Structure formats: C-alpha cells, structure tokens
Amino acid sequence: MKDRVVKMMKSMLLLLILLGVVSGRRTQLLKGLPATSTVEENAAAGVSVYAFNVTVSPLSSEGVAILPTIVNSNPLTEAFEIKSKGDLEYRVVTTGNPVLDYETMPKSFDLQIFVEDTTGRTDLKVLTVRITDKNERPVFQGNMAIQTVTIYVLEGTPPECIYQVDAADPENAELKYSLFPESVPFLVLKSGAIFSTKKFDYEKDPHCYFVNITVTDPDGLNSTKTLNINIININDERPYFTTKQRIYRIPEEQSLGTVVANMTAKDPDDEDSPSRLFYSIQSSDRYFSINPLTGVLHVTGRIDRDALPLRLHPNISVIVQVEDSPSGDHASEMEITIIIDDINDNPPECNPSNFRKEANENMTAGTFLLDLRNYCKDNDVDPSNNQFNFTGLSGFGSNNFALESTVSGRLVMTESIDLENPAHPGVEVYSLTVRVQDIACPSYSSKYTFCTSFDIFLCYIIYIYIRIKPVNEFFPVFSNLSYEFNVPEITKVGSSIGRVNARDKDWPPSVITYSIVAGGGTKDYTNIFWISPTKGDVKILARLDYESTQKHILTVQASDQEKTATASVTVNVLEINDEEPVCSPNFYSFQILVSLAVGTNINGFRIECQDRDSDPRSFRYFINEGNVNNHFTFSPSAGSNTSRLILASRFDYESGLDTNWIYRLRVYITDDNLLSARDKATHLIKTGTVTLSIRVIPNPTTVIPTTPGFTVVTKRENLYSESAWYVPFVITLGSLLLLGLLGYLGFLLAMWVRTSCPLTGKADGAPLINAPEKKKPKKEVVVTMTKLNTVFDGEARDPVTGKMYEFNTRSGARRWKKSGEPLQPAPAVQGTSSATDNGGRGRDRAEAPSKKEPSKKRKEPTAETKPAAKPWAGQSETPEQDGLRLQKQKEEFEDRMLSSPAPQGRY
C-alpha cells in the first residue's frame, strides 16, 4: 500500500513538473547535464554514478526551491536516486533495490532530472546510465546451493555414478569441475557427474569421505561445496546361538509373562558393537512367545496340564529362530523342549458361573429359585480331588434367601418382597455369592477368582443376580386436574407454551409417555399442538390466529404402558396486532401535467386499506421514499381507511429546482394512529406498503433544460431461493409442453405436404385413400406415354381436410380444386402394348382407377380430345423408342397401385 502511495505521489509530481516546464521559464540550471555515465552490475547501494552541479540565479537568495529529483526514467526503475554532496553539488547513486543485473535487466536507463529555484526557473535534463557487464562467480544449483549434500554408497557396489553436480555460470560460460583431495577414490567428469573408482569394503576402507568439489569459469572465478560420502555396511554373516541349554521344566498354570528361558545369539558382522538381532518362534505354539529384540521366552497362554492335548502329551517343543534383519537375510534355528509339571489346581467349576433369575414382586416365602448342583463339577482326574460343597451364601439382601443344604445347593426365598414397602426401598436386583469349595487340599492357583479358608482350601465363587420383577399396581396421576396456558397469537411455530406433569407411585417409577388424544384441531390442520412424549412440553405446530379461534381445549393422556390417565389443557389465544394493513391498489402508475394545480386530487386516485385486527381510524399515511421536494401528500393523512393523493406544491423545472420527471413513491400505511406516544414504544405496529409511479408530462411550451447525457447501467443478479422451488418445475413443464406442441404441428405440416404436393417425375401418383389389400395379379409389361400438359378429368374430397381436389385418371396427378372452375375433359393419349403370359391368354389391365372406361383400338393422338382405350387382348403393337426404359418403372408403379385403391369421386 505504501509503494502505491509513493508511486501515485511521484506521478502527480511529474505531472506538475511537466506543466511547470511547459508553462514556466526554462533556464540552464543543471550544469553537466545532459550526460552519459556507466555503472557496473551488482553495484551496492550508495555507489556514485554521476555528479553534477546546480546553478541558481543571483536573484535567488534561498537557493533551490525543488531539489534535483529523478521524475521519470526509461525504462521505469527505482534503482537510482540523487544525493546531495553539499552546497549545490549532487550525485546520482544506486539504491540497491533492485540490484542491477546485466543479464536480466535493461542495459541502459534514461533518467529525467528536474530542478527549480526560488525564482520559479526550472530545468529538466536527461542522464543516460549504461550498465556494464561484470564477470560473476559460478553458482551451484539444487540441493548443493542450500546445504551440504550427504551421499550413501553400499559396500560391494561396483564403480558407478553416485551424484550429478548441477552448477551454472551467470555469463553462460563453460565450467570446469575438480575434486579435492585428489587421493579420494572418486572422480568428476566435465558434465559434473561424480563416479566412484573402486568397490568399497566396509571392514577395510574408511567409513566416511569428505570431498570438496570446485566449479571454475574461464576467468578463474570459482565456487566450492563439500560432499559427505558415507559407506554403508551390508550384512553378509549368519548369526549363531550362544545358549547351550535345550530342556526346561515349568509347572502348569504359570501366570502370563512368566519367564521360561533367555535365548542369546551373536552376529559376526557386529564384532565391535552389540548385535542387533531379531528372535522369533517358528513352530506353531499357543503357550509361549519370545521378545523379538531380547530373546526372552515367556508364557503367553494358559497352560493346563489336565486339558487336552497336554493331558496326553505334557512335553512342548519350540523352534526358536534368530535373524540379523527383519527381512531374514541370514538366520539360524534351535529347538528346545519344555516339560509341563502337573499340580492340583482344579477347583470345582460351574457353568455358567453367573446366574440371573427373576422373581415376581410379592412372591411367597419358600419359593424354589435355583439348583446349583446341576451346573457345577470338578475336572480333576483323581476322584479324591473332585469332591466339593456349597457354603458361604452372602451378598446384599442375602437374608431374604437361603441354601437348603451345603450338598444339594438348592436356593429358595425366605420372605416375600414388596418394592413399595419402606423396608425394601426400591431394591430390584439382589447380588448373591455362593462359595463352591474343593474338599481336597489343593495347591494355590490364580486361575479364577479364588478365596482361601484357613489358607488350605481352594474355593470357587458363584455370582447369582436375582431381579425382583415389579408389578404395575398404580395409575399415573397428573399434578393438576386441568391446565390453562395463555399464548400470544404471534408465538413462533415450534415454541413451548407450557408443560404437564404426571407421576406413578409404582417402583421403579414407570416411564410415562404423554399424548394428545382430543382437541387442538382447526379447519386447516388436524392438530396444531404437539406434546413431548417424554417431558410433557406442549408446543405449537402452526401459527395461532386470534381472529379465527380464541380458545383451544385439549385432552392430554399420560400412560405407563399399561394404565392411563387424562387431564384437560385449555390454551387461550391472546390477541396481538399481527396483521399489517392491506391496501388496494398496492401499485399504480399514471401521468400528470406539469401545470397541475396545487391541491388537486391527482387523477382522482385514492387508496382503501383494511386490517383484520385494527380499527379503520388507526391508519396513518406517509410517503417514505421518492417524494423529492415534497410535491405529493395524502389527505387525510390519518384516521381513515381511505385517503386521496394530493399535489402539495407546484413543479418548478424552469429554475432548476425540479429535475426528476418520474417519481416513484413508496407509501407506508401504519396502524398506530390511535396509540399514544408511550404505547407506540411498547405495542407491536404493522406497516403496509403501496408503490406509485408518476410521470410528469411537460406542457407544449415548457422548455426542458438540456442536461448532459449519461447512461445508467443496472446490474441484476438472479439468486435462486429455496422457497421458489416451483420456478424450475414450471419452466421444465412448460418447455416439455411446448416441444410436444411443436412436434404435433410438424406432424400435421408433414401430412398436409404429403397430401397436397405429390411426388413428380412418376407416371402415376399414389391414391389418397387405401383400399383393402387384394391378391397381386400376374405382371404385364405396360408402356404408357402421357402428354406433358396434364388434364385433370376427375375430382374427389380429401377425407382429412374435407376439401375438393382434382386428379388425372391416367397419371394420378392431383391438385386442389379452384372454386367455379369446370371439370376439364380428358385428353387423348397414346396406347399401350400388353404382353401375354405363357398360357397364351391375353389379359386387360386398367391404366386408370376407373374400371368403366370402354376398350377401344389404339389410335394416334389428334387435336381432338378423346378418352384413351386399352388394346384388345392379343393385339400386337410396337412401343415407343423409350418404352423399354420405362418398363421397369411401370412395373414398380403397378405393384404399388395393386396395394392401394383408386380415388373415388365423380367424373
């Protein structure tokens, strides 16, 4: 933003200077200019380019009014500025922004220097600055230009290109590359490609090389960068195990994570550092796992000696593998055996160990609930270890239950439970525990949730959950028998207008759902109220209207899924001024004369307003927009539902007071006329609008002042509104109907052309009306010659249009009949020759649709117009020279004629 302001100020200064130079006095003030100077590219800021003096008039006591300034340059640049050396000496120096570059910038700049002394004398001279080329150092490109490049080379890799150096000279000179020190096993080509000269051995050669690469131009200028070349060791030796033990013994039921063995190995490739090896178990094993980094073998699954397959085969074989990389380039394996020792660890087991039973509320004492003996057993193989009993019934509410004996394990109720009784404060679920204890002395195990008795007996815990099923005994009860809500009619749809509440004495409290079972309907809606099924909030679904309905009575039901209760809800609709005045007409356009008298009711116009919830005297009229110079007013302006438009002041276009010839008035009609100033601040006021367009017509003698022409460009943007969803639907439907109509009109046009304009060039035309299909007779060779001047000797009515048309009985040519024109006689035509079939029998063929034409011998055409006759069967006549050529066309035409009837009409 600051640069734009500076450029704008410079442009304004240049304009002022140029105006001053043109209109002022030109005097030789700049001594030493015009001149030409040179400066080397890449010159730093402040480098002197040229020095000059300013000579002022002896009458100028204060020296220079406007210091020497570069007002313009060609091409435009900010690379130069003027500095004062003292007194009236100045010099042009570089700014350093931008830095001069011979290769990318113009080679010369023309600087226009301006000065003005205190007497108003000015001078403008040009200093030409030429940029001279300077040899620059080559520069590295790519990654080497910004950082030290590190290259990695795998040991054992044959000599190859390891890096491509990218450098450039600003003068596009040919560059030369070199490496230092020269003793390194690398070389660089003229192209900048660096190659290794040997196959590296990580164990014998240095692991890292630092190489300086220098690029030099023909003048000896150079740049140097450093390359870090690292030799990467590769793994080529197989690791081996250092652990000697092969057999291990552990007792069963070891806790997860128990260490079984610590496997160790060594990799010859890592003699100078700890080996980084990876351990794994190759055999399928569900009991053990090994740490892949440390080689520690530990328990990961339950080891049960009494279960299959360990019951039959207590020895477990594990194959451990060690690798020197995750990809498994080199590996070794070792098999170890783990023997599982048996312990007495099986307590009695119950399946399931958790029991859930239900008992109805108020169930009698002594009711049997559960037999635990049917679900418990001891899996020990030795019969002396599979004896157990049931003891230690405990838990919350255990005094309501009991075990018949320690051996049977039968659970019964000792008393009835009532959930609503204060002695049982809403307890629905009782949690009981029973201890199933092994009689034999077991060894300790943490397999289950065990308890110990005198530290010698192992027991198993059974969890029993008894749910007391509630009985629905009570009806829901509303907090009030009836509810009344007062709701303003302008309340937004979806707003909550009140809440009903009901409770149930049953325990646990029943989930009560609310619903509206009666009331709340209008003529437009089945129900305009909704109640939250869970909270009882009553909301409105449609806008309330006091003018239609002042009170709604609802019946609300509360249900606990079994029992119900109802309450009455009365909704009183409070009247609010929510209807805006509606006026007729709400838009009107008319013209008036400029000489119309003040106080005239303009064109007799008046508006009439109505408001459903306001008194007719509450209307107030005022023009809010477009009433320039207050030429228009309404009378009366308040207190009536009708008002007239009055011209309040005369138009004055001659003096220029009025300039508008079209007035677009926006009239506001409010319903607050009967309200006091205090009530207007608190009451809701509605406003109606009326738009009037008035064009003032000048008198014939009125002189309209001429004003400069201008063009008003109105930009309109069409925005689609979601509420106008019907617009694209109507457009699409109308387009489809229009396309259908155009298609139907095209079809009718094609039918008319087909019936009105028969094909030309044919000997005969196709008839208009099809006849029933008849069997095709044997073909005959017929040659017909017709005069060009076609005579229409028949007429018929078109069945489609109902119009009369004329046709030629020979050729079938047709045309619409003109009114009052008589029927033309048929001309004489040349005869036809007919060939006979193989049977020797002659057969007549009609040449016209009419079959009543008499047969006559062939005659030559004369001037008289006589009907033609077919030749008799067996008569032999020679056709015309072109008869053979027309024979095939005649056969095709006859085939079509046999499938279509002849025109029917009068001759």
Side-chain angles (χ1 to χ4, degrees):
M1 184 65 183
K2 181 178 179 182
D3 294 340
R4 294 176 62 185
V5 173
V6 171
K7 290 181 180 179
M8 187 179 296
M9 294 179 63
K10 286 187 176 181
S11 301
M12 295 176 62
L13 178 60
L14 175 61
L15 179 61
L16 294 175
I17 290 172
L18 294 177
L19 292 175
V21 169
V22 173
S23 61
R25 294 170 293 170
R26 293 289 303 276
T27 309
Q28 184 70 25
L29 299 179
L30 296 172
K31 185 177 181 180
L33 293 176
T36 301
S37 180
T38 61
V39 63
E40 195 175 62
E41 68 170 326
N42 299 325
V47 174
S48 178
V49 178
Y50 186 77
F52 62 91
N53 297 331
V54 177
T55 303
V56 299
S57 172
L59 300 178
S60 177
S61 60
E62 297 181 1
V64 179
I66 298 178
L67 297 176
T69 305
I70 299 175
V71 296
N72 193 16
S73 64
N74 183 27
L76 197 64
T77 184
E78 296 182 358
F80 305 97
E81 63 180 353
I82 298 177
K83 297 286 187 179
S84 175
K85 296 176 60 176
D87 294 335
L88 298 177
E89 295 184 1
Y90 300 89
R91 61 192 179 101
V92 178
V93 299
T94 58
T95 62
N97 184 25
V99 176
L100 299 174
D101 187 4
Y102 183 83
E103 287 76 22
T104 61
M105 296 178 64
K107 307 300 186 291
S108 175
F109 294 91
D110 293 332
L111 308 180
Q112 296 181 1
I113 301 175
F114 175 80
V115 68
E116 181 180 352
D117 62 9
T118 56
T119 62
R121 298 189 308 166
T122 62
D123 195 5
L124 179 68
K125 293 294 189 295
V126 175
L127 172 62
T128 301
V129 180
R130 303 188 185 278
I131 310 302
T132 61
D133 190 16
K134 177 183 178 181
N135 188 21
E136 301 173 82
R137 294 179 181 272
V139 293
F140 286 92
Q141 297 179 345
N143 292 334
M144 294 193 68
I146 59 176
Q147 63 183 2
T148 299
V149 176
T150 302
I151 303 173
Y152 298 92
V153 180
L154 293 176
E155 69 167 320
T157 303
E160 62 180 0
C161 178
I162 61 173
Y163 190 72
Q164 175 64 49
V165 179
D166 189 9
D169 185 73
E171 287 75 34
N172 295 324
E174 185 176 357
L175 301 178
K176 179 181 179 181
Y177 298 89
S178 61
L179 294 178
F180 182 81
E182 297 180 356
S183 59
V184 294
F186 305 97
L187 61 86
V188 61
L189 303 182
K190 292 182 179 181
S191 62
I194 300 177
F195 281 80
S196 59
T197 60
K198 61 175 291 186
K199 182 186 292 185
F200 295 95
D201 187 349
Y202 186 83
E203 287 74 25
K204 296 179 181 180
D205 296 326
H207 300 168
C208 182
Y209 297 88
F210 288 94
V211 180
N212 292 329
I213 180 168
T214 302
V215 56
T216 308
D217 67 2
D219 293 337
L221 294 179
N222 60 69
S223 297
T224 301
K225 288 290 184 179
T226 301
L227 288 176
N228 182 11
I229 304 176
N230 294 325
I231 307 303
I232 305 302
N233 186 22
I234 63 175
N235 188 13
D236 55 356
E237 296 290 339
R238 184 186 300 273
Y240 59 89
F241 283 96
T242 59
T243 302
K244 304 302 181 182
Q245 185 177 351
R246 296 291 188 270
I247 299 176
Y248 299 86
R249 301 182 70 95
I250 62 171
E252 66 169 329
E253 298 295 351
Q254 291 295 309
S255 59
L256 302 183
T258 300
V259 176
V260 177
N262 188 8
M263 311 301 295
T264 58
K266 187 69 177 177
D267 188 353
D269 288 327
D270 300 326
E271 293 297 336
D272 299 333
S273 60
S275 299
R276 182 175 178 82
L277 302 175
F278 300 90
Y279 300 88
S280 61
I281 296 177
Q282 295 302 303
S283 59
S284 177
D285 189 85
R286 62 179 179 176
Y287 303 109
F288 308 100
S289 66
I290 192 169
N291 189 306
L293 300 179
T294 63
V296 175
L297 186 70
H298 52 80
V299 178
T300 57
R302 181 190 173 197
I303 304 176
D304 188 1
R305 174 65 177 79
D306 302 301
L308 294 175
L310 296 180
R311 191 181 190 93
L312 300 177
H313 304 284
N315 298 339
I316 303 174
S317 295
V318 179
I319 298 176
V320 180
Q321 176 179 286
V322 61
E323 300 172 299
D324 56 7
S325 67
S327 60
D329 293 338
H330 301 88
S332 297
E333 293 182 352
M334 184 178 71
E335 182 178 2
I336 62 174
T337 300
I338 303 173
I339 301 174
I340 308 301
D341 295 331
D342 186 28
I343 62 173
N344 184 14
D345 63 328
N346 288 316
E349 294 183 359
C350 298
N351 187 19
S353 60
N354 297 325
F355 296 90
R356 288 174 170 80
K357 304 296 281 185
E358 284 189 353
N360 288 334
E361 181 183 4
N362 300 324
M363 186 174 288
T364 59
T367 302
F368 167 76
L369 297 177
L370 181 64
D371 189 351
L372 299 177
R373 175 65 67 173
N374 295 334
Y375 303 97
C376 299
K377 65 178 180 178
D378 193 329
N379 289 328
D380 286 324
V381 177
D382 189 352
S384 63
N385 295 328
N386 59 13
Q387 302 297 319
F388 58 91
N389 55 19
F390 300 92
T391 59
L393 177 63
S394 61
F396 179 75
S398 59
N399 58 322
N400 297 312
F401 309 92
L403 291 171
E404 289 184 347
S405 67
T406 59
V407 178
S408 67
R410 287 173 57 86
L411 181 67
V412 296
M413 294 186 65
T414 58
E415 63 178 50
S416 177
I417 298 176
D418 184 5
L419 296 178
E420 289 79 28
N421 191 335
H424 305 89
V427 178
E428 295 185 49
V429 179
Y430 292 87
S431 301
L432 309 178
T433 58
V434 176
R435 186 168 61 245
V436 185
Q437 186 169 315
D438 196 342
I439 298 176
C441 180
S443 299
Y444 176 79
S445 174
S446 58
K447 171 183 173 184
Y448 303 102
T449 305
F450 297 112
C451 64
T452 57
S453 177
F454 305 106
D455 296 328
I456 58 174
F457 295 109
L458 189 66
C459 63
Y460 186 87
I461 303 299
I462 296 177
Y463 297 92
I464 305 173
Y465 302 96
I466 300 177
R467 178 179 178 271
I468 306 302
K469 186 176 181 181
V471 177
N472 192 354
E473 304 175 74
F474 302 95
F475 284 84
V477 178
F478 279 95
S479 58
N480 296 319
L481 295 179
S482 62
Y483 298 84
E484 185 173 358
F485 304 134
N486 296 321
V487 184
E489 64 174 327
I490 61 172
T491 302
K492 293 183 178 179
V493 174
S495 301
S496 177
I497 62 174
R499 172 180 290 185
V500 299
N501 184 38
R503 294 185 179 275
D504 193 334
K505 293 183 180 180
D506 285 310
W507 186 268
S510 301
V511 176
I512 297 177
T513 57
Y514 302 91
S515 61
I516 299 175
V517 296
T522 64
K523 63 179 182 178
D524 297 324
Y525 300 95
T526 304
N527 201 330
I528 63 174
F529 298 96
W530 176 83
I531 188 169
S532 172
T534 57
K535 298 181 180 179
D537 289 332
V538 180
K539 297 183 179 181
I540 58 175
L541 302 178
R543 187 174 180 271
L544 301 177
D545 188 5
Y546 176 85
E547 288 72 24
S548 298
T549 306
Q550 291 80 34
K551 179 183 293 186
H552 299 272
I553 299 178
L554 316 177
T555 300
V556 178
Q557 177 180 280
S559 173
D560 62 1
Q561 313 308 320
E562 293 184 13
K563 296 179 172 59
T564 61
T566 59
S568 175
V569 177
T570 301
V571 180
N572 297 320
V573 182
L574 304 181
E575 183 180 13
I576 300 295
N577 183 19
D578 62 335
E579 300 283 347
E580 63 183 29
V582 178
C583 300
S584 177
N586 61 355
F587 175 82
Y588 199 76
S589 177
F590 44 83
Q591 299 177 351
I592 63 174
L593 292 175
V594 70
S595 60
L596 187 66
V598 175
T600 301
N601 180 196
I602 299 176
N603 286 15
F605 176 79
R606 74 171 188 171
I607 57 176
E608 183 175 353
C609 302
Q610 296 179 351
D611 192 334
R612 296 179 59 190
D613 55 9
S614 298
D615 190 277
R617 298 173 300 165
S618 63
F619 296 130
R620 189 164 57 89
Y621 308 85
F622 60 94
I623 302 174
N624 187 57
E625 299 175 8
N627 194 9
V628 181
N629 294 332
N630 298 321
H631 286 300
F632 307 97
T633 186
F634 276 89
S635 177
S637 61
S640 175
N641 65 334
T642 60
S643 182
R644 298 174 300 155
L645 181 63
I646 303 297
L647 183 65
S649 61
R650 61 181 296 272
F651 298 102
D652 188 359
Y653 292 98
E654 296 180 354
S655 65
L657 178 63
D658 289 320
T659 58
N660 293 339
W661 293 89
I662 298 177
Y663 293 85
R664 292 180 174 84
L665 307 182
R666 190 169 182 84
V667 184
Y668 284 4
I669 302 94
T670 61
D671 55 6
D672 59 347
N673 184 51
L674 300 180
L675 298 178
S676 62
R678 179 183 301 177
D679 293 339
K680 289 181 180 180
T682 57
H683 281 64
L684 184 63
I685 300 174
K686 289 293 182 176
T687 303
T689 59
V690 173
T691 302
L692 302 179
S693 178
I694 303 175
R695 178 184 296 272
V696 181
I697 306 301
N699 292 328
T701 58
T702 303
V703 179
I704 302 175
T706 306
T707 58
F710 63 93
T711 303
V712 178
V713 180
T714 303
K715 180 180 179 182
R716 295 183 178 178
E717 181 178 4
N718 292 327
L719 297 178
Y720 175 74
S721 174
E722 293 182 354
S723 61
W725 59 267
Y726 55 87
V727 174
F729 172 78
V730 172
I731 293 175
T732 304
L733 181 60
S735 301
L736 294 176
L737 294 176
L738 181 59
L739 288 176
L741 179 60
L742 292 177
Y744 180 71
L745 292 177
F747 171 77
L748 294 180
L749 179 60
M751 293 297 296
W752 180 83
V753 170
R754 182 176 179 183
T755 57
S756 301
C757 304
L759 296 175
T760 59
K762 300 278 186 177
D764 296 315
L768 292 178
I769 303 177
N770 293 330
E773 184 178 358
K774 51 185 169 181
K775 188 173 181 181
K776 181 177 179 181
K778 293 182 179 180
K779 293 184 178 180
E780 295 178 346
V781 179
V782 180
V783 178
T784 302
M785 300 182 64
T786 307
K787 287 186 176 182
L788 295 178
N789 51 342
T790 304
V791 176
F792 299 90
D793 55 351
E795 65 179 16
R797 185 179 301 275
D798 183 14
V800 178
T801 62
K803 298 173 59 178
M804 297 299 295
Y805 65 91
E806 298 175 343
F807 61 89
N808 183 274
T809 56
R810 290 283 181 178
S811 64
R814 291 163 290 182
R815 72 176 182 182
W816 296 111
K817 181 180 179 182
K818 299 180 181 179
S819 59
E821 183 178 353
L823 185 65
Q824 300 179 4
V829 297
Q830 295 180 355
T832 61
S833 64
S834 176
T836 60
D837 55 7
N838 295 333
R841 293 177 300 166
R843 184 169 183 177
D844 296 338
R845 289 185 57 88
E847 294 298 318
S850 175
K851 297 184 182 294
K852 298 180 179 181
E853 183 179 357
S855 299
K856 298 182 179 180
K857 293 184 179 180
R858 179 184 176 194
K859 298 181 180 180
E860 293 295 332
T862 61
E864 297 179 6
T865 302
K866 298 182 179 179
K870 295 193 301 180
W872 296 98
Q875 184 180 359
S876 175
E877 291 185 4
T878 303
E880 299 294 332
Q881 185 178 358
D882 58 347
L884 295 177
R885 180 175 57 84
L886 298 176
Q887 176 179 348
K888 185 175 181 181
Q889 296 180 2
K890 185 61 179 179
E891 291 178 353
E892 294 176 354
F893 172 74
E894 289 175 347
D895 292 341
R896 291 195 301 267
M897 290 293 293
L898 290 174
S899 60
S900 301
Q904 297 177 2
R906 60 180 183 273
Y907 299 113

